[in-house]
Amino acid sequence: MDISSQQGPLNSLPAAAAPLQRDVPLARFWTLTLLVTGLALLLRLPTLAGRSLWLDETYSAWFAALPLRELWTSVPLYETHPPFYYTLLKGWTTLFGTHEAALRSLSVLASVLTVFALPAGARWARLGAKAERVALLAALFLAVNAASIQYAQQARPYAIQALAGSLAVFFASMLVLSFVRPGVDARRRSWIIGLAISAGLTMWLHNTGVFAALGVWTGMTVALLAGTSGPRRPQILAVAAAGIGALLVWSPFVPMLVKQNAAMAHLSYWIRFTPRNVTAAWTVISGGQVLHYPVALLVLLGFTWLWQRARAHFWLLACVLVLPILALAGYSYLVKPVFLSRLFLWLGPLGMVLAALGVVRLPARWRLPATAVVLALSAYAVAGFYRSHTEDWRGMLAQVARASRPGDVVLAFPNEVQMPVTYYMKTGPAVAYLPGPFPALHLPRTYTGNSGAPNIAPEDVARIRALTAGHPRVWLIERLANLYDPDGIVMKELGSRYRLVRTIEGNGANIRLYEERRSDRASAAHLRTGQAGRSRPPAVNAASATACSSSCVSGAARFAIRATPYCNAG
């Protein structure tokens, strides 16, 4: 991201002397860059394999295992994310495997490259020694940013989108600079191409990437109109060329997006947006709640410097930082509630650049204390992340596999828990997903999270009874039952015939073990004993026929649980 002055170079030397000053500390610059990058890598490795995958990460593993044809044709009809990230992950896991660390290491790589790109971009763009020092400090802040570390350890597209989004902001800044500073327009074509590719990839990595593009192109337009003079035709052509290029990169996904939006229009969303949710975006950008005010103060100081020295870039970066958040908040409030704080991870690098610029704006005696405060608070936030817990599917399902007995049956809802069960539960009892295996499409019922995971309905009771008939023990795996079964249909049905004997809590998901009530068990045992005592019955009366029929149904049900297409043995 450019932080240059429109009145002159960031350093106090003439432009002709700038390269000489920049070349003198070359070895020191790259040494510091590699040290900061190495620190970023080290901070992103702890707990990488120690944490269980949470539900969304098992989605990534699930989709990455599908054939490419299915991933690019049928999956976009019910999955709410573009297939680009899953395709990248598919290639990555082909090389490195599918265990937790391998799945997450692609995000680690992207996050570390984002840290490296800040000082490397300043050097490549020849912004001057002072800009390089600011970029190094911003890279240090990003290296210890708790939110950046958190999403680097998730097999989800956000860390890669942060890399693509920060590159888009950098190229947009350089494109604006090419119209501001004389003599730097020779590389304008490179900035246009870089902006088109990086912005297109930002939109490919998440549907809400269009809000990022909105912020970038609005910011460039306002920056050039309010902060520059001269002929407008070259400016219009450059901005338009970058926009057309980004649309061309993104255009293959547009038909998929139209179909996704049509499917999403029928969803009953689990997110509840309120205007106060906007502060959650700042938590991700700043790196934690403890950093809200210190980073905000430094960012304001950085904007003050830009207003005084780089007016065009003030408008550009202000639009990029604020407009996507407000636009997505407005969309969530008026249309569909899709506002999630993690969608703004791509703004984290920009926030750290502005914070670093704010440190430089301080009097010299306050710069080191300000830097120390940010680093100390960031270390506190990172330690809190290391101690935090996510959905422990690995631990919960391991307990089921160990404690299960022959004849047990497992019910699971919503059906999207098929992803973690398939990933972690390689052995153990068969699993039946309610109301059907994922994706269960076009059923006449409510869909909450996506078009493949429907809610529980009263007509599922008959299937629950058929699946559990003759089974003395039933395991129930449920996640967000209040959303997917708000009437408690499943647990009421099981509670009417079984007693709850064990609960395994997994920080968002729960597993319950139900056992046949003792009176029912004694009656069944007595009936079996009575039947065994009749060695040569004189005739098949109605009672024995009923018992035989019941026994046959029970045996058939036990077979059906392992043979039915609604079940998965892990």
PDB file of all heavy atoms in Angstrom, residues 169 211-224 226 303 306 312-327 346-347 350 354:
ATOM      1  N   VAL A 169      -5.012  -3.409  -3.114  1.00  0.00           N
ATOM      2  CA  VAL A 169      -4.885  -2.065  -2.552  1.00  0.00           C
ATOM      3  C   VAL A 169      -3.528  -1.464  -2.912  1.00  0.00           C
ATOM      4  O   VAL A 169      -3.416  -0.266  -3.228  1.00  0.00           O
ATOM      5  CB  VAL A 169      -5.092  -2.101  -1.021  1.00  0.00           C
ATOM      6  CG1 VAL A 169      -4.877  -0.719  -0.413  1.00  0.00           C
ATOM      7  CG2 VAL A 169      -6.488  -2.609  -0.680  1.00  0.00           C
ATOM      8  N   PHE A 211     -17.587  -6.338  -2.646  1.00  0.00           N
ATOM      9  CA  PHE A 211     -17.590  -5.137  -1.799  1.00  0.00           C
ATOM     10  C   PHE A 211     -16.169  -4.570  -1.676  1.00  0.00           C
ATOM     11  O   PHE A 211     -15.997  -3.358  -1.558  1.00  0.00           O
ATOM     12  CB  PHE A 211     -18.159  -5.469  -0.425  1.00  0.00           C
ATOM     13  CG  PHE A 211     -19.621  -5.793  -0.444  1.00  0.00           C
ATOM     14  CD1 PHE A 211     -20.052  -7.106  -0.495  1.00  0.00           C
ATOM     15  CD2 PHE A 211     -20.575  -4.789  -0.440  1.00  0.00           C
ATOM     16  CE1 PHE A 211     -21.397  -7.425  -0.525  1.00  0.00           C
ATOM     17  CE2 PHE A 211     -21.932  -5.084  -0.471  1.00  0.00           C
ATOM     18  CZ  PHE A 211     -22.346  -6.408  -0.522  1.00  0.00           C
ATOM     19  N   ALA A 212     -15.166  -5.452  -1.695  1.00  0.00           N
ATOM     20  CA  ALA A 212     -13.785  -4.979  -1.720  1.00  0.00           C
ATOM     21  C   ALA A 212     -13.506  -4.216  -3.007  1.00  0.00           C
ATOM     22  O   ALA A 212     -12.891  -3.134  -2.987  1.00  0.00           O
ATOM     23  CB  ALA A 212     -12.824  -6.162  -1.571  1.00  0.00           C
ATOM     24  N   ALA A 213     -13.958  -4.775  -4.128  1.00  0.00           N
ATOM     25  CA  ALA A 213     -13.761  -4.088  -5.410  1.00  0.00           C
ATOM     26  C   ALA A 213     -14.487  -2.746  -5.423  1.00  0.00           C
ATOM     27  O   ALA A 213     -13.969  -1.751  -5.960  1.00  0.00           O
ATOM     28  CB  ALA A 213     -14.264  -4.979  -6.546  1.00  0.00           C
ATOM     29  N   LEU A 214     -15.672  -2.697  -4.834  1.00  0.00           N
ATOM     30  CA  LEU A 214     -16.409  -1.432  -4.738  1.00  0.00           C
ATOM     31  C   LEU A 214     -15.586  -0.381  -4.008  1.00  0.00           C
ATOM     32  O   LEU A 214     -15.488   0.782  -4.451  1.00  0.00           O
ATOM     33  CB  LEU A 214     -17.733  -1.665  -4.015  1.00  0.00           C
ATOM     34  CG  LEU A 214     -18.546  -0.407  -3.674  1.00  0.00           C
ATOM     35  CD1 LEU A 214     -19.043   0.267  -4.944  1.00  0.00           C
ATOM     36  CD2 LEU A 214     -19.722  -0.762  -2.756  1.00  0.00           C
ATOM     37  N   GLY A 215     -14.977  -0.769  -2.872  1.00  0.00           N
ATOM     38  CA  GLY A 215     -14.165   0.173  -2.120  1.00  0.00           C
ATOM     39  C   GLY A 215     -12.949   0.643  -2.893  1.00  0.00           C
ATOM     40  O   GLY A 215     -12.608   1.833  -2.877  1.00  0.00           O
ATOM     41  N   VAL A 216     -12.285  -0.281  -3.601  1.00  0.00           N
ATOM     42  CA  VAL A 216     -11.061   0.068  -4.325  1.00  0.00           C
ATOM     43  C   VAL A 216     -11.365   1.009  -5.486  1.00  0.00           C
ATOM     44  O   VAL A 216     -10.713   2.054  -5.652  1.00  0.00           O
ATOM     45  CB  VAL A 216     -10.363  -1.214  -4.822  1.00  0.00           C
ATOM     46  CG1 VAL A 216      -9.221  -0.859  -5.786  1.00  0.00           C
ATOM     47  CG2 VAL A 216      -9.819  -2.011  -3.643  1.00  0.00           C
ATOM     48  N   TRP A 217     -12.366   0.679  -6.306  1.00  0.00           N
ATOM     49  CA  TRP A 217     -12.632   1.520  -7.481  1.00  0.00           C
ATOM     50  C   TRP A 217     -13.279   2.844  -7.102  1.00  0.00           C
ATOM     51  O   TRP A 217     -12.996   3.867  -7.718  1.00  0.00           O
ATOM     52  CB  TRP A 217     -13.475   0.744  -8.488  1.00  0.00           C
ATOM     53  CG  TRP A 217     -12.605   0.126  -9.543  1.00  0.00           C
ATOM     54  CD1 TRP A 217     -12.299   0.643 -10.772  1.00  0.00           C
ATOM     55  CD2 TRP A 217     -11.865  -1.094  -9.445  1.00  0.00           C
ATOM     56  NE1 TRP A 217     -11.424  -0.179 -11.440  1.00  0.00           N
ATOM     57  CE2 TRP A 217     -11.148  -1.265 -10.654  1.00  0.00           C
ATOM     58  CE3 TRP A 217     -11.741  -2.077  -8.463  1.00  0.00           C
ATOM     59  CZ2 TRP A 217     -10.333  -2.365 -10.892  1.00  0.00           C
ATOM     60  CZ3 TRP A 217     -10.935  -3.173  -8.701  1.00  0.00           C
ATOM     61  CH2 TRP A 217     -10.238  -3.315  -9.901  1.00  0.00           C
ATOM     62  N   THR A 218     -14.116   2.846  -6.087  1.00  0.00           N
ATOM     63  CA  THR A 218     -14.649   4.120  -5.611  1.00  0.00           C
ATOM     64  C   THR A 218     -13.524   4.983  -5.058  1.00  0.00           C
ATOM     65  O   THR A 218     -13.465   6.201  -5.308  1.00  0.00           O
ATOM     66  CB  THR A 218     -15.705   3.882  -4.519  1.00  0.00           C
ATOM     67  OG1 THR A 218     -16.762   3.079  -5.044  1.00  0.00           O
ATOM     68  CG2 THR A 218     -16.283   5.197  -4.027  1.00  0.00           C
ATOM     69  N   GLY A 219     -12.615   4.359  -4.291  1.00  0.00           N
ATOM     70  CA  GLY A 219     -11.492   5.105  -3.732  1.00  0.00           C
ATOM     71  C   GLY A 219     -10.602   5.699  -4.800  1.00  0.00           C
ATOM     72  O   GLY A 219     -10.166   6.865  -4.699  1.00  0.00           O
ATOM     73  N   MET A 220     -10.299   4.929  -5.865  1.00  0.00           N
ATOM     74  CA  MET A 220      -9.469   5.476  -6.944  1.00  0.00           C
ATOM     75  C   MET A 220     -10.167   6.636  -7.629  1.00  0.00           C
ATOM     76  O   MET A 220      -9.529   7.658  -7.958  1.00  0.00           O
ATOM     77  CB  MET A 220      -9.150   4.373  -7.967  1.00  0.00           C
ATOM     78  CG  MET A 220      -8.128   3.359  -7.496  1.00  0.00           C
ATOM     79  SD  MET A 220      -7.541   2.300  -8.847  1.00  0.00           S
ATOM     80  CE  MET A 220      -9.061   1.448  -9.294  1.00  0.00           C
ATOM     81  N   THR A 221     -11.459   6.495  -7.861  1.00  0.00           N
ATOM     82  CA  THR A 221     -12.193   7.568  -8.538  1.00  0.00           C
ATOM     83  C   THR A 221     -12.184   8.848  -7.711  1.00  0.00           C
ATOM     84  O   THR A 221     -11.881   9.940  -8.227  1.00  0.00           O
ATOM     85  CB  THR A 221     -13.634   7.120  -8.813  1.00  0.00           C
ATOM     86  OG1 THR A 221     -13.626   5.928  -9.599  1.00  0.00           O
ATOM     87  CG2 THR A 221     -14.406   8.209  -9.530  1.00  0.00           C
ATOM     88  N   VAL A 222     -12.513   8.728  -6.428  1.00  0.00           N
ATOM     89  CA  VAL A 222     -12.534   9.900  -5.553  1.00  0.00           C
ATOM     90  C   VAL A 222     -11.132  10.487  -5.421  1.00  0.00           C
ATOM     91  O   VAL A 222     -10.946  11.725  -5.442  1.00  0.00           O
ATOM     92  CB  VAL A 222     -13.116   9.532  -4.174  1.00  0.00           C
ATOM     93  CG1 VAL A 222     -12.996  10.714  -3.203  1.00  0.00           C
ATOM     94  CG2 VAL A 222     -14.556   9.092  -4.298  1.00  0.00           C
ATOM     95  N   ALA A 223     -10.113   9.631  -5.291  1.00  0.00           N
ATOM     96  CA  ALA A 223      -8.741  10.105  -5.125  1.00  0.00           C
ATOM     97  C   ALA A 223      -8.285  10.910  -6.333  1.00  0.00           C
ATOM     98  O   ALA A 223      -7.670  11.984  -6.194  1.00  0.00           O
ATOM     99  CB  ALA A 223      -7.807   8.920  -4.895  1.00  0.00           C
ATOM    100  N   LEU A 224      -8.563  10.411  -7.533  1.00  0.00           N
ATOM    101  CA  LEU A 224      -8.115  11.110  -8.736  1.00  0.00           C
ATOM    102  C   LEU A 224      -8.893  12.399  -8.956  1.00  0.00           C
ATOM    103  O   LEU A 224      -8.332  13.402  -9.426  1.00  0.00           O
ATOM    104  CB  LEU A 224      -8.253  10.185  -9.944  1.00  0.00           C
ATOM    105  CG  LEU A 224      -7.299   8.980  -9.945  1.00  0.00           C
ATOM    106  CD1 LEU A 224      -7.623   8.032 -11.082  1.00  0.00           C
ATOM    107  CD2 LEU A 224      -5.841   9.431 -10.024  1.00  0.00           C
ATOM    108  N   ALA A 226     -10.467  14.259  -6.509  1.00  0.00           N
ATOM    109  CA  ALA A 226     -10.286  15.228  -5.430  1.00  0.00           C
ATOM    110  C   ALA A 226      -8.818  15.544  -5.154  1.00  0.00           C
ATOM    111  O   ALA A 226      -8.523  16.592  -4.566  1.00  0.00           O
ATOM    112  CB  ALA A 226     -10.930  14.698  -4.146  1.00  0.00           C
ATOM    113  N   PHE A 303      -3.900   8.797   8.993  1.00  0.00           N
ATOM    114  CA  PHE A 303      -4.753   9.533   8.066  1.00  0.00           C
ATOM    115  C   PHE A 303      -4.466  11.036   8.129  1.00  0.00           C
ATOM    116  O   PHE A 303      -4.562  11.743   7.109  1.00  0.00           O
ATOM    117  CB  PHE A 303      -6.228   9.260   8.370  1.00  0.00           C
ATOM    118  CG  PHE A 303      -6.777   8.048   7.663  1.00  0.00           C
ATOM    119  CD1 PHE A 303      -7.310   6.988   8.381  1.00  0.00           C
ATOM    120  CD2 PHE A 303      -6.754   7.968   6.284  1.00  0.00           C
ATOM    121  CE1 PHE A 303      -7.820   5.882   7.730  1.00  0.00           C
ATOM    122  CE2 PHE A 303      -7.264   6.857   5.623  1.00  0.00           C
ATOM    123  CZ  PHE A 303      -7.793   5.808   6.350  1.00  0.00           C
ATOM    124  N   LEU A 306      -1.574  11.576   5.917  1.00  0.00           N
ATOM    125  CA  LEU A 306      -1.978  11.488   4.517  1.00  0.00           C
ATOM    126  C   LEU A 306      -2.734  12.745   4.078  1.00  0.00           C
ATOM    127  O   LEU A 306      -2.542  13.238   2.966  1.00  0.00           O
ATOM    128  CB  LEU A 306      -2.856  10.251   4.302  1.00  0.00           C
ATOM    129  CG  LEU A 306      -2.158   8.891   4.383  1.00  0.00           C
ATOM    130  CD1 LEU A 306      -3.176   7.766   4.320  1.00  0.00           C
ATOM    131  CD2 LEU A 306      -1.126   8.733   3.264  1.00  0.00           C
ATOM    132  N   ALA A 312      -4.500  12.635  -2.186  1.00  0.00           N
ATOM    133  CA  ALA A 312      -5.157  11.648  -3.047  1.00  0.00           C
ATOM    134  C   ALA A 312      -5.219  10.284  -2.368  1.00  0.00           C
ATOM    135  O   ALA A 312      -6.245   9.592  -2.408  1.00  0.00           O
ATOM    136  CB  ALA A 312      -4.434  11.533  -4.393  1.00  0.00           C
ATOM    137  N   HIS A 313      -4.130   9.915  -1.696  1.00  0.00           N
ATOM    138  CA  HIS A 313      -4.106   8.609  -1.034  1.00  0.00           C
ATOM    139  C   HIS A 313      -4.921   8.617   0.258  1.00  0.00           C
ATOM    140  O   HIS A 313      -5.360   7.561   0.724  1.00  0.00           O
ATOM    141  CB  HIS A 313      -2.668   8.168  -0.784  1.00  0.00           C
ATOM    142  CG  HIS A 313      -1.988   7.719  -2.050  1.00  0.00           C
ATOM    143  ND1 HIS A 313      -1.393   8.598  -2.902  1.00  0.00           N
ATOM    144  CD2 HIS A 313      -1.872   6.485  -2.606  1.00  0.00           C
ATOM    145  CE1 HIS A 313      -0.901   7.938  -3.937  1.00  0.00           C
ATOM    146  NE2 HIS A 313      -1.198   6.660  -3.786  1.00  0.00           N
ATOM    147  N   PHE A 314      -5.121   9.772   0.825  1.00  0.00           N
ATOM    148  CA  PHE A 314      -6.064   9.860   1.940  1.00  0.00           C
ATOM    149  C   PHE A 314      -7.440   9.398   1.491  1.00  0.00           C
ATOM    150  O   PHE A 314      -8.090   8.573   2.152  1.00  0.00           O
ATOM    151  CB  PHE A 314      -6.119  11.292   2.467  1.00  0.00           C
ATOM    152  CG  PHE A 314      -7.243  11.521   3.446  1.00  0.00           C
ATOM    153  CD1 PHE A 314      -7.080  11.267   4.799  1.00  0.00           C
ATOM    154  CD2 PHE A 314      -8.495  11.973   3.002  1.00  0.00           C
ATOM    155  CE1 PHE A 314      -8.124  11.470   5.694  1.00  0.00           C
ATOM    156  CE2 PHE A 314      -9.541  12.184   3.889  1.00  0.00           C
ATOM    157  CZ  PHE A 314      -9.352  11.918   5.242  1.00  0.00           C
ATOM    158  N   TRP A 315      -7.914   9.939   0.360  1.00  0.00           N
ATOM    159  CA  TRP A 315      -9.245   9.573  -0.118  1.00  0.00           C
ATOM    160  C   TRP A 315      -9.306   8.107  -0.545  1.00  0.00           C
ATOM    161  O   TRP A 315     -10.289   7.420  -0.277  1.00  0.00           O
ATOM    162  CB  TRP A 315      -9.652  10.478  -1.273  1.00  0.00           C
ATOM    163  CG  TRP A 315      -9.906  11.898  -0.860  1.00  0.00           C
ATOM    164  CD1 TRP A 315      -9.197  13.008  -1.211  1.00  0.00           C
ATOM    165  CD2 TRP A 315     -10.957  12.351   0.000  1.00  0.00           C
ATOM    166  NE1 TRP A 315      -9.715  14.124  -0.626  1.00  0.00           N
ATOM    167  CE2 TRP A 315     -10.816  13.765   0.126  1.00  0.00           C
ATOM    168  CE3 TRP A 315     -11.992  11.724   0.682  1.00  0.00           C
ATOM    169  CZ2 TRP A 315     -11.671  14.531   0.896  1.00  0.00           C
ATOM    170  CZ3 TRP A 315     -12.852  12.484   1.444  1.00  0.00           C
ATOM    171  CH2 TRP A 315     -12.697  13.870   1.552  1.00  0.00           C
ATOM    172  N   LEU A 316      -8.276   7.657  -1.207  1.00  0.00           N
ATOM    173  CA  LEU A 316      -8.255   6.255  -1.652  1.00  0.00           C
ATOM    174  C   LEU A 316      -8.353   5.296  -0.477  1.00  0.00           C
ATOM    175  O   LEU A 316      -9.235   4.418  -0.436  1.00  0.00           O
ATOM    176  CB  LEU A 316      -6.978   5.988  -2.455  1.00  0.00           C
ATOM    177  CG  LEU A 316      -6.696   4.502  -2.759  1.00  0.00           C
ATOM    178  CD1 LEU A 316      -7.770   3.909  -3.654  1.00  0.00           C
ATOM    179  CD2 LEU A 316      -5.313   4.336  -3.381  1.00  0.00           C
ATOM    180  N   LEU A 317      -7.459   5.451   0.495  1.00  0.00           N
ATOM    181  CA  LEU A 317      -7.397   4.491   1.594  1.00  0.00           C
ATOM    182  C   LEU A 317      -8.567   4.645   2.551  1.00  0.00           C
ATOM    183  O   LEU A 317      -9.004   3.663   3.161  1.00  0.00           O
ATOM    184  CB  LEU A 317      -6.066   4.639   2.331  1.00  0.00           C
ATOM    185  CG  LEU A 317      -4.823   4.385   1.465  1.00  0.00           C
ATOM    186  CD1 LEU A 317      -3.558   4.449   2.313  1.00  0.00           C
ATOM    187  CD2 LEU A 317      -4.911   3.061   0.725  1.00  0.00           C
ATOM    188  N   ALA A 318      -9.104   5.852   2.680  1.00  0.00           N
ATOM    189  CA  ALA A 318     -10.296   6.034   3.507  1.00  0.00           C
ATOM    190  C   ALA A 318     -11.480   5.285   2.909  1.00  0.00           C
ATOM    191  O   ALA A 318     -12.242   4.615   3.620  1.00  0.00           O
ATOM    192  CB  ALA A 318     -10.614   7.519   3.656  1.00  0.00           C
ATOM    193  N   CYS A 319     -11.643   5.393   1.587  1.00  0.00           N
ATOM    194  CA  CYS A 319     -12.736   4.668   0.930  1.00  0.00           C
ATOM    195  C   CYS A 319     -12.537   3.164   1.038  1.00  0.00           C
ATOM    196  O   CYS A 319     -13.492   2.415   1.290  1.00  0.00           O
ATOM    197  CB  CYS A 319     -12.830   5.085  -0.536  1.00  0.00           C
ATOM    198  SG  CYS A 319     -13.476   6.750  -0.813  1.00  0.00           S
ATOM    199  N   VAL A 320     -11.313   2.702   0.848  1.00  0.00           N
ATOM    200  CA  VAL A 320     -11.042   1.260   0.918  1.00  0.00           C
ATOM    201  C   VAL A 320     -11.307   0.723   2.320  1.00  0.00           C
ATOM    202  O   VAL A 320     -11.849  -0.385   2.480  1.00  0.00           O
ATOM    203  CB  VAL A 320      -9.587   0.969   0.494  1.00  0.00           C
ATOM    204  CG1 VAL A 320      -9.215  -0.479   0.784  1.00  0.00           C
ATOM    205  CG2 VAL A 320      -9.399   1.265  -0.993  1.00  0.00           C
ATOM    206  N   LEU A 321     -10.948   1.488   3.336  1.00  0.00           N
ATOM    207  CA  LEU A 321     -11.093   1.011   4.704  1.00  0.00           C
ATOM    208  C   LEU A 321     -12.536   1.059   5.195  1.00  0.00           C
ATOM    209  O   LEU A 321     -12.974   0.166   5.924  1.00  0.00           O
ATOM    210  CB  LEU A 321     -10.202   1.839   5.638  1.00  0.00           C
ATOM    211  CG  LEU A 321     -10.097   1.357   7.096  1.00  0.00           C
ATOM    212  CD1 LEU A 321      -9.447  -0.012   7.167  1.00  0.00           C
ATOM    213  CD2 LEU A 321      -9.322   2.348   7.935  1.00  0.00           C
ATOM    214  N   VAL A 322     -13.278   2.078   4.786  1.00  0.00           N
ATOM    215  CA  VAL A 322     -14.605   2.315   5.369  1.00  0.00           C
ATOM    216  C   VAL A 322     -15.741   1.789   4.503  1.00  0.00           C
ATOM    217  O   VAL A 322     -16.691   1.179   5.000  1.00  0.00           O
ATOM    218  CB  VAL A 322     -14.799   3.819   5.647  1.00  0.00           C
ATOM    219  CG1 VAL A 322     -16.213   4.097   6.147  1.00  0.00           C
ATOM    220  CG2 VAL A 322     -13.765   4.308   6.654  1.00  0.00           C
ATOM    221  N   LEU A 323     -15.658   2.024   3.188  1.00  0.00           N
ATOM    222  CA  LEU A 323     -16.799   1.750   2.324  1.00  0.00           C
ATOM    223  C   LEU A 323     -17.210   0.272   2.294  1.00  0.00           C
ATOM    224  O   LEU A 323     -18.414  -0.027   2.371  1.00  0.00           O
ATOM    225  CB  LEU A 323     -16.504   2.257   0.906  1.00  0.00           C
ATOM    226  CG  LEU A 323     -17.685   2.210  -0.069  1.00  0.00           C
ATOM    227  CD1 LEU A 323     -18.872   2.999   0.468  1.00  0.00           C
ATOM    228  CD2 LEU A 323     -17.265   2.756  -1.432  1.00  0.00           C
ATOM    229  N   PRO A 324     -16.292  -0.701   2.165  1.00  0.00           N
ATOM    230  CA  PRO A 324     -16.744  -2.108   2.154  1.00  0.00           C
ATOM    231  C   PRO A 324     -17.469  -2.506   3.438  1.00  0.00           C
ATOM    232  O   PRO A 324     -18.444  -3.274   3.387  1.00  0.00           O
ATOM    233  CB  PRO A 324     -15.435  -2.888   1.983  1.00  0.00           C
ATOM    234  CG  PRO A 324     -14.504  -1.945   1.321  1.00  0.00           C
ATOM    235  CD  PRO A 324     -14.844  -0.599   1.892  1.00  0.00           C
ATOM    236  N   ILE A 325     -17.010  -1.998   4.575  1.00  0.00           N
ATOM    237  CA  ILE A 325     -17.670  -2.332   5.844  1.00  0.00           C
ATOM    238  C   ILE A 325     -19.077  -1.762   5.874  1.00  0.00           C
ATOM    239  O   ILE A 325     -20.050  -2.463   6.203  1.00  0.00           O
ATOM    240  CB  ILE A 325     -16.840  -1.806   7.030  1.00  0.00           C
ATOM    241  CG1 ILE A 325     -15.460  -2.471   7.054  1.00  0.00           C
ATOM    242  CG2 ILE A 325     -17.568  -2.062   8.349  1.00  0.00           C
ATOM    243  CD1 ILE A 325     -14.537  -1.925   8.127  1.00  0.00           C
ATOM    244  N   LEU A 326     -19.220  -0.486   5.511  1.00  0.00           N
ATOM    245  CA  LEU A 326     -20.540   0.136   5.532  1.00  0.00           C
ATOM    246  C   LEU A 326     -21.469  -0.470   4.484  1.00  0.00           C
ATOM    247  O   LEU A 326     -22.672  -0.652   4.731  1.00  0.00           O
ATOM    248  CB  LEU A 326     -20.417   1.640   5.305  1.00  0.00           C
ATOM    249  CG  LEU A 326     -19.674   2.428   6.395  1.00  0.00           C
ATOM    250  CD1 LEU A 326     -19.646   3.909   6.048  1.00  0.00           C
ATOM    251  CD2 LEU A 326     -20.303   2.201   7.758  1.00  0.00           C
ATOM    252  N   ALA A 327     -20.922  -0.797   3.306  1.00  0.00           N
ATOM    253  CA  ALA A 327     -21.759  -1.371   2.245  1.00  0.00           C
ATOM    254  C   ALA A 327     -22.275  -2.751   2.643  1.00  0.00           C
ATOM    255  O   ALA A 327     -23.456  -3.067   2.447  1.00  0.00           O
ATOM    256  CB  ALA A 327     -20.967  -1.449   0.940  1.00  0.00           C
ATOM    257  N   TRP A 346      -8.988  -9.117   4.964  1.00  0.00           N
ATOM    258  CA  TRP A 346      -8.162  -8.535   3.907  1.00  0.00           C
ATOM    259  C   TRP A 346      -7.814  -7.077   4.176  1.00  0.00           C
ATOM    260  O   TRP A 346      -6.865  -6.538   3.574  1.00  0.00           O
ATOM    261  CB  TRP A 346      -8.874  -8.663   2.562  1.00  0.00           C
ATOM    262  CG  TRP A 346     -10.114  -7.843   2.434  1.00  0.00           C
ATOM    263  CD1 TRP A 346     -11.367  -8.177   2.848  1.00  0.00           C
ATOM    264  CD2 TRP A 346     -10.227  -6.548   1.850  1.00  0.00           C
ATOM    265  NE1 TRP A 346     -12.264  -7.171   2.564  1.00  0.00           N
ATOM    266  CE2 TRP A 346     -11.593  -6.159   1.943  1.00  0.00           C
ATOM    267  CE3 TRP A 346      -9.331  -5.676   1.247  1.00  0.00           C
ATOM    268  CZ2 TRP A 346     -12.056  -4.935   1.471  1.00  0.00           C
ATOM    269  CZ3 TRP A 346      -9.791  -4.458   0.774  1.00  0.00           C
ATOM    270  CH2 TRP A 346     -11.135  -4.096   0.883  1.00  0.00           C
ATOM    271  N   LEU A 347      -8.538  -6.419   5.093  1.00  0.00           N
ATOM    272  CA  LEU A 347      -8.220  -5.042   5.452  1.00  0.00           C
ATOM    273  C   LEU A 347      -7.164  -4.954   6.550  1.00  0.00           C
ATOM    274  O   LEU A 347      -6.694  -3.852   6.857  1.00  0.00           O
ATOM    275  CB  LEU A 347      -9.488  -4.314   5.909  1.00  0.00           C
ATOM    276  CG  LEU A 347     -10.505  -3.981   4.811  1.00  0.00           C
ATOM    277  CD1 LEU A 347     -11.782  -3.420   5.415  1.00  0.00           C
ATOM    278  CD2 LEU A 347      -9.909  -2.998   3.806  1.00  0.00           C
ATOM    279  N   LEU A 350      -3.793  -3.297   5.457  1.00  0.00           N
ATOM    280  CA  LEU A 350      -3.949  -1.853   5.317  1.00  0.00           C
ATOM    281  C   LEU A 350      -4.008  -1.179   6.684  1.00  0.00           C
ATOM    282  O   LEU A 350      -3.384  -0.127   6.902  1.00  0.00           O
ATOM    283  CB  LEU A 350      -5.223  -1.547   4.523  1.00  0.00           C
ATOM    284  CG  LEU A 350      -5.628  -0.070   4.439  1.00  0.00           C
ATOM    285  CD1 LEU A 350      -4.519   0.771   3.820  1.00  0.00           C
ATOM    286  CD2 LEU A 350      -6.938   0.085   3.660  1.00  0.00           C
ATOM    287  N   LEU A 354      -1.394   1.763   8.060  1.00  0.00           N
ATOM    288  CA  LEU A 354      -1.825   3.055   8.594  1.00  0.00           C
ATOM    289  C   LEU A 354      -1.378   3.237  10.041  1.00  0.00           C
ATOM    290  O   LEU A 354      -1.002   4.344  10.449  1.00  0.00           O
ATOM    291  CB  LEU A 354      -3.345   3.165   8.494  1.00  0.00           C
ATOM    292  CG  LEU A 354      -3.909   3.268   7.069  1.00  0.00           C
ATOM    293  CD1 LEU A 354      -5.422   3.114   7.074  1.00  0.00           C
ATOM    294  CD2 LEU A 354      -3.508   4.601   6.426  1.00  0.00           C
TER     295      LEU A 354
END
